[in-house]
Amino acid sequence: MKIKALNGFKDILPEDVAVWRQVETIAHDVLERYHFAEIRLPILEKTELFARSIGADTDIVEKEMYTFVDKEITMRPEATASLMRAYIQHSMNSARPVQRLFTIGPMFRHERPQKGRLRQFHQLDFEVLGSASARLDAELMSLGAMLFAELGVETSLEINSLGCPECRPAYRRLLLEFIHDRMEHLCDDCKRRSVTNPLRVLDCKKPGCRQQVEDAPSVLEHLCTVCADHFGGVRSGLDQLGVAYSLNKFMVRGLDYYVRTTFEFITDRLGAQSAVGAGGRYDGLIEMLGGPKVPGIGFAVGIERLVLLLRESGQEPVRADEIDLFVAGLGANASDFAFSLVHGLRNNGLRADMDLEVKSLKSQMKQADKAGSRFALIIGDQELESGRAMIRDMGTGEQEEVDLDLETIRRSVEKR
Ligand code: ATP
Ligand code: MG
């Protein structure tokens, strides 16, 4: 019986990796312009870290985490909590007042696998700690917009504010009243949520529930003055930076730690999986995890969804040559010579390969072609004797005779 990968776990094959690298290269470039530094975090953390930060009655913590129950450790479902843990553990607030950090890596959630929804998926995660300024919110969203624009994927930005511990309770009560009158028409999940986390009812994707909450009171109309001012600042910041957005009063996000600004970059190209990137402000989270009183905001981009979008828009990178030179050795002696030559070429910075078995010229040229080599160097007994051999351009078929020494071969390859 063949063993296959687990459902929702996917191999990223070499031809996929080219697209992934393109995403990562552009992301690194944009991130450097915004003065972000990379941090690499472990995949396993204490379960408590996620339960406390994301919230015990969220979908993620309630039913999606991969937890080793006996060891009380969990494979991270997202990066923010781990990053906060590291920030606190290494007192990163004392190193510099504002920390702009990013991390890339796999996340694990036990969800129903479908297009753009996996159980192991990858996120590019950006977090900025140390400023409560509304300008930061706008700046971070401009980073997302710039990243998607440079990748050539079309997304639109939706924003909302969830208020703060000052104003949210009153809104929550108002919403509860509204939901209470419509309870019988809601799905079972929402019936349950309305007790534990009524804001999440607004977020339900089921058409029946959507219809019920259409006229729900908007959180934006019930913000306290401080939150309203902050949200006004975010909007004018976005205007100032020329970042287009729309308001979405239904966007509440499925994690408990958000306050004030939340936002999503969405697409209509991936069916139900519309969010390509999402995040928000989480002032209070670091303190709640036992750290200093430092505000923060962040968001995460799903790399699989980005790659799907790149593919759909026909934007895959042209497959580059894999190697510079394939050395074909004909016969035992030439093959032996080729073995040292390839090593020498590699040592000199060229990307080179050969057939380690001694095969026919035809078979070796086929391999050179499959290897995506720019040139082939063909060596037989005669070439060994004369010390000169033909180097063939695999694209044009042109040939040139060269001396069989490393420097000459390298120059011949590099001059084209
Ligand atoms: P969704 O609404 O699609 O479930 P989410 O709100 O759970 O997304 P976040 O936890 O905010 O997503 O994660 C940020 C990003 O990570 C999402 O916008 C998405 O691109 C990606 N993402 C989240 N869950 C998955 C998954 N199971 N498979 C692939 N990508 C995912
Ligand atoms: Mg989700």
Side-chain angles (χ1 to χ4, degrees), residues 84-336:
M84 296 309 117
R85 196 261 315 130
Y87 179 82
I88 298 166
Q89 185 174 335
H90 304 287
S91 309
M92 291 176 81
N93 60 314
S94 53
R96 44 177 84 180
V98 176
Q99 286 278 5
R100 297 158 179 266
L101 300 165
F102 78 95
T103 193
I104 306 181
M107 308 297 154
F108 304 84
R109 296 184 197 174
H110 193 268
E111 304 197 70
R112 195 167 65 79
Q114 48 196 297
K115 181 181 180 185
R117 191 173 294 286
L118 296 153
R119 290 180 171 169
Q120 174 176 340
F121 61 99
H122 296 72
Q123 283 185 343
L124 243 170
D125 184 74
F126 322 98
E127 314 284 348
V128 185
L129 295 324
S131 171
S133 167
R135 278 188 169 163
L136 173 57
D137 306 35
E139 192 190 57
L140 193 63
M141 289 183 239
S142 82
L143 184 161
M146 196 181 290
L147 174 66
F148 296 129
E150 301 218 353
L151 283 164
V153 299
E154 247 176 75
T155 59
S156 46
L157 172 63
E158 294 189 345
I159 70 171
N160 194 19
S161 173
L162 297 181
C164 67
E166 289 294 313
C167 52
R168 205 185 298 167
Y171 171 71
R172 193 174 182 270
R173 276 195 299 278
L174 212 70
L175 185 65
L176 259 178
E177 269 169 43
F178 177 90
I179 292 170
H180 195 258
D181 299 338
R182 289 157 183 81
M183 194 73 102
E184 57 190 310
H185 305 293
L186 299 176
C187 72
D188 287 345
D189 270 347
C190 282
K191 282 191 182 119
R192 194 172 42 82
R193 281 177 197 143
S194 64
V195 184
T196 53
N197 200 342
L199 268 75
R200 301 263 335 279
V201 176
L202 296 177
D203 198 32
C204 185
K205 303 284 186 301
K206 297 201 181 78
C209 298
R210 285 236 138 152
Q211 204 188 336
Q212 288 302 318
V213 299
E214 207 154 81
D215 302 317
S218 164
V219 58
L220 292 176
E221 279 152 28
H222 297 89
L223 298 176
C224 61
T225 327
V226 186
C227 285
D229 283 351
H230 193 271
F231 196 58
V234 175
R235 296 183 62 176
S236 57
L238 288 170
D239 291 339
Q240 195 179 340
L241 301 183
V243 179
Y245 68 90
S246 55
L247 299 179
N248 177 359
K249 67 169 183 175
F250 293 117
M251 189 181 42
V252 301
R253 315 278 308 116
L255 303 91
D256 277 358
Y257 51 60
Y258 289 121
V259 291
R260 297 199 177 132
T261 321
T262 54
F263 58 100
E264 281 185 0
F265 287 93
I266 58 168
T267 171
D268 50 17
R269 300 232 177 132
L270 296 178
Q273 278 55 256
S274 59
V276 191
R281 187 164 268 292
Y282 44 74
D283 305 347
L285 175 60
I286 297 175
E287 231 181 328
M288 197 253 277
L289 291 172
K293 193 170 157 46
V294 173
I297 180 168
F299 83 108
V301 170
I303 303 185
E304 280 81 359
R305 291 188 195 175
L306 255 189
V307 168
L308 278 173
L309 280 176
L310 278 172
R311 289 240 149 106
E312 302 225 332
S313 58
Q315 282 215 60
E316 283 182 55
V318 197
R319 199 159 151 237
D321 303 314
E322 284 173 24
I323 55 171
D324 300 308
L325 192 64
F326 190 95
V327 181
L330 306 174
N333 290 338
S335 181
D336 208 37

Side-chain angles (χ1 to χ4, degrees), residues 9 14 26 41 55 77 81 119 145 157 173 252 256 269 280 303 354 362-363 379 401:
F9 289 72
I26 293 179
L41 303 159
R119 290 180 171 169
L157 172 63
R173 276 195 299 278
V252 301
D256 277 358
R269 300 232 177 132
I303 303 185
M354 68 178 286
K362 196 172 152 206
S363 149
I379 306 171
E401 196 173 43

